[in-house]
Structures are given as C-alpha cells and as structure tokens.
Amino acid sequence: MHPADIAKSIHDSPDIAEKRRLFEDIASSSTKAHVLSELSSEHVVQVLRGIPLTELSALIKELPRDDATDILRVLPQEAVPAILRGIAHEEAAQLECLLTYPKRSAGGVMTTQYVAIHQDATVDTAFKAIQKSSIEEMIYEIYVTNDQGNLMGVVALRALLRASRKARITEIMDREPIFVTTETNQEEVADKVARYNLLSIPVVHPTGKLMGIITIDDVVDVIQEETTEDMLRMSGISTTEQDDPQFYVSGLQEAKRRLPWIFVNMLGSILAGYILWFFRYTIQEVVAIISFIPIITALGGNAGLQSSTLVIRSLAIGRIDRRDLWTLCVRESWVALLMGSICGGVILLITLAWHAHVMLGVVVGFSMTLTFLIAVVMATALPILLKYNGLDPAIAAAPLITTATDIASITIYLMTATVLLSSLS
Amino acid sequence: MHPADIAKSIHDSPDIAEKRRLFEDIASSSTKAHVLSELSSEHVVQVLRGIPLTELSALIKELPRDDATDILRVLPQEAVPAILRGIAHEEAAQLECLLTYPKRSAGGVMTTQYVAIHQDATVDTAFKAIQKSSIEEMIYEIYVTNDQGNLMGVVALRALLRASRKARITEIMDREPIFVTTETNQEEVADKVARYNLLSIPVVHPTGKLMGIITIDDVVDVIQEETTEDMLRMSGISTTEQDDPQFYVSGLQEAKRRLPWIFVNMLGSILAGYILWFFRYTIQEVVAIISFIPIITALGGNAGLQSSTLVIRSLAIGRIDRRDLWTLCVRESWVALLMGSICGGVILLITLAWHAHVMLGVVVGFSMTLTFLIAVVMATALPILLKYNGLDPAIAAAPLITTATDIASITIYLMTATVLLSSLS
C-alpha cells in the first residue's frame, strides 16, 4: 500500500484510537515516516502522541528535510530539542536552521537537499556528484555556485545527459535561472513555478547565496493549501490561516471558527432590519412592498458575489492587478447595468401582473437596477483595495459583500418607495 | 523576456490591435510558439486571426504535441486539415490522433513525446535512447514496454544515473507504476499526481498499451483550471466549462454568462416574496416582525454557504466521499445547533431590548435556530448528492443554497410568528 493511501485510511477512520492503531501497524519505519508526511497537522499530533522520543527521532531521520521540518513544526515545541538530540549533529543543525524560517515563506517550504557543484567543474564531475549523493528527493536539476556559494546557474538533468562528459558545466548551464529569496511568500513561489513551468526553483539568501530549493511536488501542495484557504475565507468559515477543511475537529471548535463572520453578518443585518423598521409606515401604507424585499436583497447579493469571486480568483492567479481597478469597475458597471435593467424590466412586468400597481413596478424595477450597479462596483473594488493594503482579498467575499448589499438594497428600495409613492398617492 | 511574460503583456493589453502587434513583434518563431501555448484560448484566436496557414503550420511544428493539440482545438475547425498538411506526415498523424480525445480527458491532456524502451534493454541502451531523443519536453522518467507496447514499468532518471551501465532495465524499474487510462477525467489525473507526488503519469489504452504521458507542469495547469471553474460555478457565474475568469470579453457576453443563475435566484426569491405577501396580515398586526427578516435570511444563507463551501472543497481535494454523508450531516447539525442557539439567544436579547416584546423574541430566537439547522443540513447533503449523481457539486453553492435558505427561513419565521403570536395575543 502506498503511504498516501495509508494516510487516507487514517484520515477516514472515525476515532483517534483506530487512527493510532493503523499508524502503529505499519511495519517499516521508512513507510511510517512517509505516511507522517502525508498526514494533516492535526492527525500528525494525534498519531504521534505518546510515542517515545527515540522513535520520533528515528522517524524524522527517514524523511526529506522539508517534510521533517513540517512535522517538527506541529509537534509540542518543548519536545523538539530532545528529538533533535537523537539525530546526527550535522543533520539536526540543518533542521534547526530550517525551523527558523516562517512556515509560509520560501525558507519554510524549501529543502536543503540538492546537488550543487562549483562553476569550474565539468559535466563528468556533475555526474559523479549525483551518483554519490544520497538524496532521496527527486533530482531533476543541479545548481552551479561560485566560491562564495552564490547561485550562478542551473543545469537540467536532461541537458547534462546530452552533453559531452568533458564539457565544462558553465557551457551548458542556464545563466539566468528564475529564483526566489528565503523571505518570498509561498503563494508567490507557487505563482512563479506555475507561470514559468519549472520543476524546481532555487531559494537564495538576499545576499545571493544558494540556501535551498523548492520542488514542484511541494508547490502542488502549496497551491491546494492556498486555494482551500481562499475558499474557506470567501464563505466566511475562517479568518486565520487554514491548510485544510476540517471535519474531524469537534462541533464546538468548528462553531467557534465559523461564528466570527456570522456575528459580523448579524451586526450588518440588524442595521438592514433597522432600516426596514424605520420605513415601517411606508410599508404599512403599501403592504405589497414587502413581497419584493427578498427579491431585491437576494439578487443584489448574488450579483455582488459574482463580481467579487471573479476579481478574487483573478487576483489569485495573477490575471489582474491594481492598475486594472478602473477598467474593471467600468466593465463591471456595464455588466451590472445590463443585468440590472433586464431584471428590473422583468420585475416591473411581474409587479404589474401581481399587484396591478404601476408606480410600485417602477419603484421595484428602478431599485433593482441601482442595487445591481452599487453591489457590483463595491464587490469589484473591495477585493482589489484590500489586496493593495496587504490584506487577503478573499475576506471580502460572501459575508461582507452580502451584508453590504443587503443594507444598500433595502435602503435604495425603501427610500425610492417612500419618495415616489408618497409624492404620487 | 520569458514567453510567459510576453503572454502576460498580451493578456494585459487593452485592445485586440495592440495584442496582435505585440504578438507579431516577437522575432523568433520558437518564442512565438511558446507564447501561444501560454495564452488563454480566447487570446489564441485573437492573435492568430488572419495569419497565413503556412505560418500557423510552422508555429504548430515548434510546440510540444500536447500544447500543439490545445492550439488546434481552439482554432476554426475547418482550418485544421490545411494546417496539418503543412506539417510532416507522421507528426500530423500523431496530432490528429490526439485531437480525437475529449479535451478534458487524460487522452486530451497527454503528450505522445516520451522515451520508451523494450524490457529486454540495458541501462546503457536507455541512456542512448535519451541522448538520441529530440524531445524538448522535460524528461524525468522513462517507460518500459513489452513486445505489444504494453506498459511494464517506469524508471526514474535518477535511478538510471545511479545504476551500472550494464544492468538490465527490469532490475531497476518500478514494476507497479501508477497510471491512468486515456478516458480518465483530467481532475482525477490531477488528484493522482498530487496524492502520490508524481512527476509524470503514464496514460494507457484500456488494453494496457502505453499511449502517452502527462507531466506535472500540465497537471498544475489542470488544477488551476478546475479550481477556477469550481469557484466561478460556486458563485453562479457560469454553468459551462470555463478555464479562465474572463475580463476581456464584452459586457454583453459576460452578462449573458451570469444571467442564468440570477434568473434561478429570481424565481426562488419571488417564491420567498410570495410567502411574505401571504403572511401580510400577521406582519401588519405586529409590524416589528419586518425588522428581523433581513437578519434571519442573511444568517441562514451565510451558515448554509459555510457548510456547502466546506463540503465542496473537501470533495474536490478528495478528503470526503459519499460514505461520509451521514457522519457529516450529524457533525454539521451539531455545529448548526450550537451556532443557531447562540445567535438565537443574542437575537432574543436584542428583540427584548428593541421592541420589548417577549413572545416576538422567542419567535425570532426559535426561528433562527431552526433556520440554521435546515440551512446547514441542506448545504451539506446537496453537494454530495449532486456529486454522486454525476453532477458538479460546485453548482450547489451560492445561488441555490442562498435561495433555498431564503425560502426556508422566511417560511419558518412567519409560520412560527403566525402560530405563536395569534395564539397568544
């Protein structure tokens, strides 16, 4: 059974005792280690609880350094020094160094296991370096450095295979490799790797020294993580960093995670409710007004959510940036006017058929069009403004947009109704 | 400038004339071809319009076969035979064969450019095969086949480098490689590659014959495409297959794309409006009822959206499946009861403070709790049921969930109000 499949069965088991039994039943400690690296952090903690420190050290030793660091990050921090003491000194020092980088930076994702050779070397030396290396991670590129250890170039394994054994490495290397620094955010790393179709990307210290590499299989995990986080934020499930939709945490923990946005929503909708209450005399006078409240608020919210999703996703995959704000607002306003006037027209006809009240139809139709326009412009501008103030645009989605459009649509509708109906009745 | 960056400037240019000028200004036809493979399909059509067929043939020739197929798929279909006539017969035949697979199947994504050797070969033969091959795509694995061309195993380039030149390839190959068939959906291909951390995955005919491979850089594109599609569907922007959030299409086209869900939403909310109208006498009697309509509908919709997003994303990354339906509904009901009773309690207090009406407070608090429960159970079950009836769970999100919860919450609230208030006033 592949470690990923064992990890899946552990994920799927209903209770912790069963999860731990499954994990302890794994015969080889190398498989055990690889299963660990496939588990979500919550599960790592659960299956490792109570396992002797010496055994933990043995498991950590089996893993590629980037995966080892991920495991060490989620274990109780007071246990880490003891676990590292059970590992060869040099290896422990490497892990300790990797642990100093923030989790979601390039330094926090990279591994220091790669093959680097000096720029004076030949292709033959490079071959020998690969054959000698004990790295279990995939090698598909080797890195060329100078006396200071600065990154000078990259050679694809394929280019190495095709070159003459006597050629100098500088003759076949790519002299302008794409790289990131240890501080680069993991989302930006993923963007670069995806955009330039890279297999791995070197990570350098701001001084130019080669510090590690990030391989594409880890970038795939980063993309999944960041997308999950965006989607959970967009629907108001969480405002903190979340790698994983969690179904195994208790209902109470989950309710705690979701309630903050529900409360924001409650505050906003109390305001919307207050506005309805404020206009109660208008409503009592023309009671048919109430039959359009759900229509105006639902459609406004939906139109806003369409725009914000489009903008948030386009920002995430690098399709638009701040400079596009004006163009986008113009385009979206045009879309809103089109949709708003079509929906407004339909609603006007429905009002005539339902309540036989021409002026009410005009009020509803006009409010609908204006609501679309305001909802869409807010939903387009807000994510972009958030992003360029260093906030995550995803938090601008469902909870904020729908609350804001509820308030706007009810105000527009009832103000229009009060003005037009009273001036004409 | 990297082809991906040129493609980005073409994306960013405001008008078609400018896009075409940028594309035509590219000096080398190899760069031109690679820029093409980075452009979205809409842009490919725009920049290629009016370019002579012979030049198109030359560009197609420069590309890896999977990228060439993608371009040929989006060009006017009557031009394809003429373009293929400008390409060497054998190559044209390969492309024609790739074009027969559906776009989103493994066959439609794969390339037929890979290195395969016979199972009787030695490591030395494998090296020579790699050195001789003219493939520009990345090679990191070679494939081992038998007399019938069936896939027998896979050898990582790294294993090849470390083996003795005289060793037989069967000694170092992985005899149980993970593979997909030509018919496998691209989403499932991406799941497999991500789950097992593969660099490439072989694609076989149902009979076992090796037909092609899919490399991880293309899988990254598939993941981005499928996620974008999910997010656009979740907010009701589109029900068809969309690779790309589109800001460069006209406002009219975009309004057409978004209107269908707005209309579904309109139908549902007219029903909600009708229910309000039906209970108009209750409302006229206790006008304070209207002040809680936005609160009940907004919170119910939001709670439902939280659950549906969690379920849709968990389904997409393979964290849950149909067997989890019952467990999930129980867990989510528990979360809903917790959140509902907390919010219901808060609303009860607000009602007392605002309208000094105990029974109204009880009605609002009770309706809130029940609305949460129903919204969350619907939002959990619907995506799973859709998925196991062959539909995309993403379409169950915002438009459907919020409309359904609007109807449910208004009905619960006003029925409760009518029963409790009339029996007690």
Side-chain angles (χ1 to χ4, degrees):
Chain A
M1 218 171 158
H2 192 284
D5 293 322
I6 305 178
K8 176 88 170 70
S9 354
I10 292 177
H11 263 282
D12 291 349
S13 326
D15 60 84
I16 298 184
E18 173 72 13
K19 288 177 203 293
R20 296 178 62 170
R21 201 187 55 72
L22 275 173
F23 182 71
E24 277 156 28
D25 280 357
I26 304 167
S28 110
S29 86
S30 149
T31 313
K32 241 175 173 161
H34 284 95
V35 169
L36 268 190
S37 72
E38 299 286 337
L39 287 174
S40 70
S41 44
E42 216 98 349
H43 278 113
V44 167
V45 175
Q46 288 174 353
V47 299
L48 290 185
R49 192 165 296 151
I51 285 187
L53 288 178
T54 51
E55 197 179 324
L56 282 182
S57 303
L59 288 176
I60 296 290
K61 254 190 277 185
E62 293 278 350
L63 282 172
R65 261 177 226 142
D66 49 349
D67 294 341
T69 320
D70 290 341
I71 306 285
L72 287 172
R73 266 180 219 282
V74 298
L75 292 178
Q77 287 313 292
E78 61 279 10
V80 172
I83 297 171
L84 288 178
R85 271 197 296 279
I87 297 174
H89 180 70
E90 201 201 338
E91 183 63 23
Q94 290 267 7
L95 291 175
E96 249 172 327
C97 170
L98 283 176
L99 282 169
T100 61
Y101 296 104
K103 181 168 185 289
R104 294 186 172 224
S105 69
V109 182
M110 74 185 183
T111 179
T112 50
Q113 287 161 309
Y114 53 87
V115 178
I117 55 166
H118 191 273
Q119 57 184 354
D120 296 340
T122 61
V123 169
D124 194 55
T125 324
F127 265 108
K128 288 185 180 130
I130 294 173
Q131 279 156 349
K132 236 175 39 199
S133 85
S134 59
I135 300 171
E136 275 313 305
E137 273 264 31
M138 301 169 251
I139 303 172
Y140 9 70
E141 271 153 354
I142 64 168
Y143 303 88
V144 185
T145 53
N146 66 7
D147 291 335
Q148 284 77 46
N150 287 8
L151 178 69
M152 304 306 287
V154 172
V155 184
L157 209 46
R158 175 189 37 158
L160 205 65
L161 276 169
R162 294 205 186 142
S164 144
R165 285 273 183 161
K166 284 181 216 122
R168 296 176 64 84
I169 206 76
T170 41
E171 291 167 34
I172 58 164
M173 74 183 188
D174 174 2
R175 284 161 187 282
E176 288 180 350
I178 290 159
F179 63 90
V180 291
T181 75
T182 44
E183 281 127 48
T184 308
N185 179 281
Q186 68 170 3
E187 202 166 357
E188 208 181 314
V189 175
D191 281 351
K192 270 204 170 154
V193 171
R195 174 170 323 149
Y196 299 115
N197 296 319
L198 306 176
L199 278 179
S200 65
I201 193 163
V203 184
V204 303
H205 189 268
T207 60
K209 189 169 185 309
L210 179 63
M211 303 300 287
I213 67 164
I214 297 172
T215 53
I216 191 171
D217 55 316
D218 294 322
V219 165
V220 168
D221 295 339
V222 167
I223 292 176
Q224 305 269 36
E225 241 177 72
E226 294 285 333
T227 312
T228 300
E229 188 186 300
D230 269 8
M231 287 170 93
L232 297 187
R233 282 193 180 166
M234 282 175 74
S235 65
I237 294 185
S238 172
T239 49
T240 54
E241 288 181 341
Q242 293 288 344
D243 310 336
D244 213 23
Q246 306 186 320
F247 277 117
Y248 44 85
V249 301
S250 75
L252 190 66
Q253 279 176 285
E254 184 64 20
K256 256 196 216 155
R257 187 159 78 117
R258 295 190 204 173
L259 273 174
W261 276 119
I262 294 280
F263 281 131
V264 170
N265 213 322
M266 195 193 279
L267 280 181
S269 46
I270 288 173
L271 183 55
Y274 177 74
I275 296 164
L276 269 181
W277 174 246
F278 181 84
F279 286 105
R280 62 191 176 281
Y281 303 113
T282 311
I283 295 172
Q284 277 180 314
E285 211 169 303
V286 189
V287 73
I289 283 178
I290 56 168
S291 39
F292 298 99
I293 291 171
I295 307 176
I296 297 251
T297 56
L299 265 59
N302 204 155
L305 197 59
Q306 288 182 333
S307 299
S308 66
T309 304
L310 199 64
V311 171
I312 291 168
R313 184 64 187 156
S314 301
L315 285 170
I317 60 174
R319 271 301 151 72
I320 55 169
D321 55 34
R322 183 164 31 178
R323 289 168 306 164
D324 299 312
L325 178 57
W326 183 242
T327 325
L328 280 183
C329 280
V330 172
R331 211 289 294 256
E332 289 296 291
S333 306
W334 178 226
V335 174
L337 274 178
L338 278 168
M339 294 204 297
S341 47
I342 291 171
C343 293
V346 172
I347 279 294
L348 170 63
L349 296 178
I350 291 174
T351 318
L352 294 180
W354 186 358
H355 298 289
H357 192 314
V358 179
M359 200 28 98
L360 182 60
V362 173
V363 167
V364 181
F366 169 80
S367 309
M368 181 72 86
T369 312
L370 195 57
T371 297
F372 267 67
L373 191 61
I374 290 179
V376 159
V377 170
M378 280 197 310
T380 306
L382 197 57
I384 299 182
L385 295 177
L386 282 174
K387 166 127 192 183
Y388 289 98
N389 286 296
L391 294 163
D392 185 342
I395 61 170
L400 279 190
I401 296 291
T402 53
T403 310
T405 53
D406 268 10
I407 298 172
S409 58
I410 288 177
T411 312
I412 293 168
Y413 177 44
L414 292 174
M415 275 184 60
T416 317
T418 308
V419 171
L420 287 188
L421 294 180
S422 68
S423 75
L424 286 160
S425 65
Chain B
M1 217 171 160
H2 192 284
D5 294 322
I6 304 177
K8 176 90 170 69
S9 355
I10 292 178
H11 263 283
D12 290 349
S13 325
D15 61 82
I16 298 183
E18 173 72 10
K19 288 178 204 289
R20 296 179 63 169
R21 201 188 53 73
L22 275 173
F23 182 73
E24 277 155 27
D25 280 356
I26 303 167
S28 110
S29 86
S30 150
T31 311
K32 239 175 173 162
H34 284 95
V35 168
L36 267 190
S37 72
E38 300 286 337
L39 287 174
S40 70
S41 43
E42 217 99 348
H43 278 113
V44 167
V45 175
Q46 288 174 351
V47 298
L48 290 185
R49 192 165 297 152
I51 286 187
L53 289 179
T54 50
E55 198 179 324
L56 282 180
S57 302
L59 288 175
I60 295 289
K61 254 189 278 186
E62 293 278 350
L63 281 172
R65 261 177 227 143
D66 49 350
D67 293 341
T69 320
D70 290 342
I71 307 286
L72 288 173
R73 267 181 218 282
V74 299
L75 292 177
Q77 287 313 294
E78 62 279 11
V80 172
I83 296 171
L84 288 179
R85 272 197 294 279
I87 297 174
H89 180 70
E90 201 200 339
E91 183 64 23
Q94 291 268 7
L95 290 175
E96 247 171 330
C97 171
L98 283 175
L99 282 169
T100 61
Y101 296 103
K103 182 168 183 290
R104 293 185 173 225
S105 67
V109 181
M110 73 184 186
T111 178
T112 50
Q113 286 161 311
Y114 54 87
V115 178
I117 55 165
H118 192 272
Q119 56 184 356
D120 297 338
T122 62
V123 168
D124 194 57
T125 324
F127 265 109
K128 287 187 181 130
I130 295 172
Q131 279 157 347
K132 237 175 40 197
S133 86
S134 58
I135 301 172
E136 274 314 305
E137 273 264 31
M138 300 170 253
I139 302 172
Y140 9 69
E141 271 152 353
I142 64 166
Y143 302 87
V144 184
T145 53
N146 65 8
D147 291 335
Q148 284 77 45
N150 288 10
L151 178 69
M152 305 305 288
V154 172
V155 184
L157 210 46
R158 173 189 38 153
L160 206 64
L161 276 169
R162 293 206 186 140
S164 144
R165 285 275 184 162
K166 284 179 216 124
R168 294 175 66 86
I169 206 75
T170 42
E171 291 167 34
I172 58 164
M173 76 182 186
D174 173 2
R175 285 164 186 279
E176 287 180 351
I178 291 160
F179 64 90
V180 290
T181 74
T182 43
E183 280 128 47
T184 309
N185 179 280
Q186 68 171 2
E187 205 167 355
E188 207 182 314
V189 175
D191 281 350
K192 272 205 168 153
V193 171
R195 172 167 326 147
Y196 300 113
N197 295 319
L198 307 176
L199 278 178
S200 64
I201 193 164
V203 184
V204 303
H205 189 268
T207 59
K209 190 170 186 307
L210 179 63
M211 303 301 287
I213 66 164
I214 298 173
T215 55
I216 191 171
D217 56 313
D218 293 323
V219 166
V220 168
D221 296 339
V222 167
I223 292 176
Q224 305 268 37
E225 240 177 72
E226 293 285 331
T227 313
T228 301
E229 187 186 298
D230 269 7
M231 288 170 92
L232 297 187
R233 283 192 182 167
M234 282 176 72
S235 66
I237 294 184
S238 172
T239 48
T240 54
E241 290 182 337
Q242 292 287 344
D243 311 335
D244 213 24
Q246 306 187 319
F247 276 118
Y248 43 86
V249 301
S250 75
L252 191 65
Q253 279 175 285
E254 185 64 19
K256 257 197 217 154
R257 187 159 77 118
R258 294 190 204 173
L259 273 175
W261 276 117
I262 294 279
F263 280 131
V264 170
N265 214 323
M266 194 192 279
L267 281 180
S269 47
I270 288 173
L271 182 55
Y274 177 75
I275 296 165
L276 270 180
W277 174 248
F278 181 83
F279 287 103
R280 62 192 176 282
Y281 302 113
T282 310
I283 295 172
Q284 275 180 316
E285 211 170 302
V286 189
V287 73
I289 284 177
I290 57 169
S291 38
F292 298 99
I293 292 171
I295 308 177
I296 298 250
T297 56
L299 265 60
N302 205 157
L305 198 58
Q306 289 182 333
S307 300
S308 66
T309 304
L310 199 63
V311 171
I312 291 168
R313 184 64 186 156
S314 301
L315 285 170
I317 60 175
R319 271 301 151 71
I320 55 169
D321 54 36
R322 183 165 31 177
R323 290 168 306 164
D324 299 312
L325 178 56
W326 183 243
T327 326
L328 281 181
C329 280
V330 171
R331 211 291 293 258
E332 289 296 292
S333 304
W334 178 225
V335 175
L337 274 178
L338 278 167
M339 296 203 298
S341 46
I342 292 170
C343 293
V346 173
I347 278 294
L348 169 64
L349 295 176
I350 291 174
T351 317
L352 294 179
W354 186 357
H355 297 290
H357 192 316
V358 179
M359 200 29 98
L360 182 61
V362 173
V363 167
V364 180
F366 168 80
S367 310
M368 181 72 85
T369 312
L370 195 57
T371 296
F372 267 66
L373 191 60
I374 289 179
V376 159
V377 170
M378 280 197 311
T380 306
L382 197 58
I384 301 183
L385 295 178
L386 282 174
K387 167 129 191 181
Y388 289 99
N389 286 296
L391 294 162
D392 185 341
I395 60 170
L400 278 190
I401 296 292
T402 53
T403 309
T405 53
D406 269 9
I407 298 171
S409 58
I410 288 177
T411 312
I412 292 168
Y413 177 45
L414 292 174
M415 273 183 61
T416 317
T418 308
V419 171
L420 287 187
L421 295 180
S422 68
S423 73
L424 286 159
S425 65

